[in-house]
């Protein structure tokens, strides 16, 4: 934010830059250059995986205890785990814990926020409706209400399909991660890189529409990671890749609240908004609308009238 967004759409990356390691360029007055660290074709990825397996290299243990009978849409392929772990700090290579799966928890921004805020560092993995798989790593906690960019330069974005590639920050700006759920005048949703409505990847609060924009993206120097600049969300997973040894005050507050009454009531509720409204004495029709009975002061005898209030 605060940077000229025109460079998002007009600077082009050479086709050869994605096939070799390049040094991160700290941009000043010029548009960012590509910061791709590694690129693998499908065949080279398979070869690399075979070599690693034969050498007995250990991979992070995947903890999916938060859900039952779960198979990751992305990390069930150990080649993807191996690829991503190469770029993480050593203390993030031991255990990865599933926080959110749109398949298991529902394709809902409220559910995403409930399971993800207060946790980190994390990897977010997305599949769009064109079959592209991509996402990002952030070292900082996803905050509950923080409608502006933040994060650290250890963040990176990646693509797993059709090719495996990682992009580190260019240094052009500090727009590493973004999350907003309450400020309606700003983009409501979650994303990384670029700027509002011009993210490296971003998912809107309807949790259906997404974007990957920039040619290249200013923050990470990459071309669009999705199959197009605008796409539909097919699947999202979020994994915590390191349990902090010491929780920040913010993390502790959020986790304590989630571990208390709020979590016990809503943790498995498909529609948290409806559950909360039910606790306030509202009743619901078979069509999921709230039937609120009120005294009709003009009826002259305590007659009731019904107000239909959509929920969820």
């Amino acid at each position: 934010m605060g940077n000229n967004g025109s460079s998002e759409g007009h600077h082009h990356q050479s086709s050869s830059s994605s096939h070799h390691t390049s040094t991160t360029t700290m941009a000043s007055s010029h548009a960012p250059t590509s910061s791709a660290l590694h690129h693998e074709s499908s065949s080279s990825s398979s070869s690399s995986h075979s070599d690693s397996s034969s050498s007995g290299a250990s991979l992070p243990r995947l903890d999916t205890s938060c859900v039952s009978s779960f198979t990751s849409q992305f990390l069930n392929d150990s080649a993807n785990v191996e690829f991503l772990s190469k770029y993480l700090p050593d203390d993030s290579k031991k255990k990865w814990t599933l926080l959110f799966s749109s398949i298991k928890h529902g394709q809902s921004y409220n559910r995403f926020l409930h399971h993800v805020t207060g946790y980190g560092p994390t990897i977010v993995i997305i599949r769009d409706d064109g079959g592209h798989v991509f996402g990002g790593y952030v070292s900082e906690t996803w905050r509950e209400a923080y409608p502006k960019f933040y994060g650290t330069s250890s963040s990176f974005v990646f693509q797993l399909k059709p090719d495996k590639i990682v992009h580190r920050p260019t240094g052009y700006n500090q727009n590493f991660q973004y999350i907003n759920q309450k400020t309606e005048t700003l983009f409501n949703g979650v994303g990384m890189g670029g700027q509002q409505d011009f993210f490296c990847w971003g998912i809107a609060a309807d949790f259906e529409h997404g974007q990957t924009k920039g040619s290249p993206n200013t923050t990470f120097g990459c071309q669009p990671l999705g199959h197009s600049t605008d796409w539909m969300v097919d699947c999202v997973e979020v994994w915590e890749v390191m349990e902090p040894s010491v929780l920040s005050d913010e993390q502790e507050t959020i986790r304590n609240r989630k571990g208390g009454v709020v979590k016990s009531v809503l943790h498995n509720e498909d529609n948290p908004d409806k559950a909360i409204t039910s606790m306030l004495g509202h009743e619901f029709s078979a069509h999921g609308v709230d039937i609120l009975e009120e005294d009709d002061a003009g009826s002259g005898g305590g007659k009731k009238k019904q107000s239909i209030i959509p929920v969820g």
Side-chain angles (χ1 to χ4, degrees):
M1 299 174 69
N3 292 288
N4 190 337
S6 61
S7 61
E8 292 281 359
H10 297 91
H11 185 77
H12 295 280
Q13 178 184 27
S14 67
S15 60
S16 62
S17 65
S18 63
H19 294 278
H20 67 279
T21 301
S22 60
T23 304
T24 299
T25 302
M26 301 297 289
S28 52
S29 59
H30 301 288
T33 59
S34 169
S35 56
L37 291 182
H38 193 77
H39 183 283
E40 295 180 358
S41 65
S42 298
S43 58
S44 65
S45 172
S46 299
S47 173
S48 174
H49 171 57
S50 299
D51 293 340
S52 176
S53 298
S54 62
S55 64
S58 61
L59 297 178
R61 178 172 64 88
L62 303 183
D63 179 359
T64 61
S65 57
C66 69
V67 294
S68 60
S69 304
F70 178 76
T71 300
S72 173
Q73 296 291 298
F74 313 112
L75 302 185
N76 192 47
D77 182 352
S78 59
N80 288 338
V81 178
E82 177 190 352
F83 177 76
L84 292 174
S85 65
K86 288 189 294 188
Y87 301 98
L88 296 178
D90 289 340
D91 53 7
S92 292
K93 298 180 180 182
K94 299 174 183 178
K95 183 180 80 168
W96 296 357
T97 303
L98 178 71
L99 297 178
F100 173 81
S101 161
S102 60
I103 292 178
K104 297 296 287 189
H105 297 112
Q107 195 159 317
S108 159
Y109 189 46
N110 282 342
R111 303 307 287 157
F112 173 89
L113 293 170
H114 176 76
H115 288 279
V116 171
T117 52
Y119 293 89
T122 53
I123 286 177
V124 180
I125 312 176
I126 304 158
R127 184 171 62 221
D128 67 22
D129 59 335
H132 281 217
V133 177
F134 51 90
Y137 161 81
V138 294
S139 60
E140 289 205 11
T141 297
W142 289 105
R143 300 174 180 176
E144 283 193 304
Y146 200 80
K148 60 183 178 181
F149 282 98
Y150 65 102
T152 71
S153 59
S154 62
S155 305
F156 62 81
V157 296
F158 57 82
Q159 186 183 75
L160 296 178
K161 187 177 180 180
D163 295 314
K164 290 180 170 62
I165 187 168
V166 164
H167 292 272
R168 293 284 193 186
T170 61
Y172 187 79
N173 59 37
Q174 305 296 306
N175 298 352
F176 304 118
Q177 63 188 100
Y178 174 96
I179 191 165
N180 177 33
Q181 64 181 119
K182 295 181 179 178
T183 307
E184 296 183 0
T185 56
L186 302 175
F187 177 86
N188 260 263
V190 60
M192 291 183 67
Q195 57 186 339
Q196 290 189 44
D197 295 316
F198 232 97
F199 291 95
C200 180
W201 66 257
I203 299 176
D206 63 9
F207 228 66
E208 294 181 355
H209 295 86
Q211 59 173 258
T212 49
K213 296 184 177 180
S215 297
N217 178 268
T218 53
T219 307
F220 295 103
C222 57
Q223 300 296 322
L225 300 172
H227 82 281
S228 65
T229 55
D230 295 286
W231 36 267
M232 302 297 288
V233 175
D234 179 61
C235 179
V236 179
E237 290 179 12
V238 183
W239 296 77
E240 185 176 46
V241 296
M242 184 185 70
E243 176 71 23
S245 56
V246 178
L247 297 179
S248 68
D249 291 342
E250 180 183 31
Q251 286 176 309
E252 188 169 10
T253 299
I254 295 172
R255 295 191 187 195
N256 285 343
R257 182 167 64 254
K258 288 181 178 182
V261 176
V262 173
K263 182 173 182 179
S264 65
V265 173
L266 302 179
H267 183 63
N268 295 316
E269 172 59 55
D270 291 334
N271 190 333
D273 298 324
K274 180 176 175 180
I276 293 172
T277 313
S278 295
M279 284 186 274
L280 297 177
H282 295 252
E283 298 178 358
F284 295 87
S285 74
H287 301 288
V289 294
D290 181 15
I291 304 174
L292 176 62
E293 292 192 341
E294 304 177 319
D295 284 325
D296 185 356
S299 65
K303 268 178 97 173
K304 305 283 187 179
K305 66 178 181 179
Q306 291 183 330
S307 300
I308 308 300
I309 304 174
V311 174

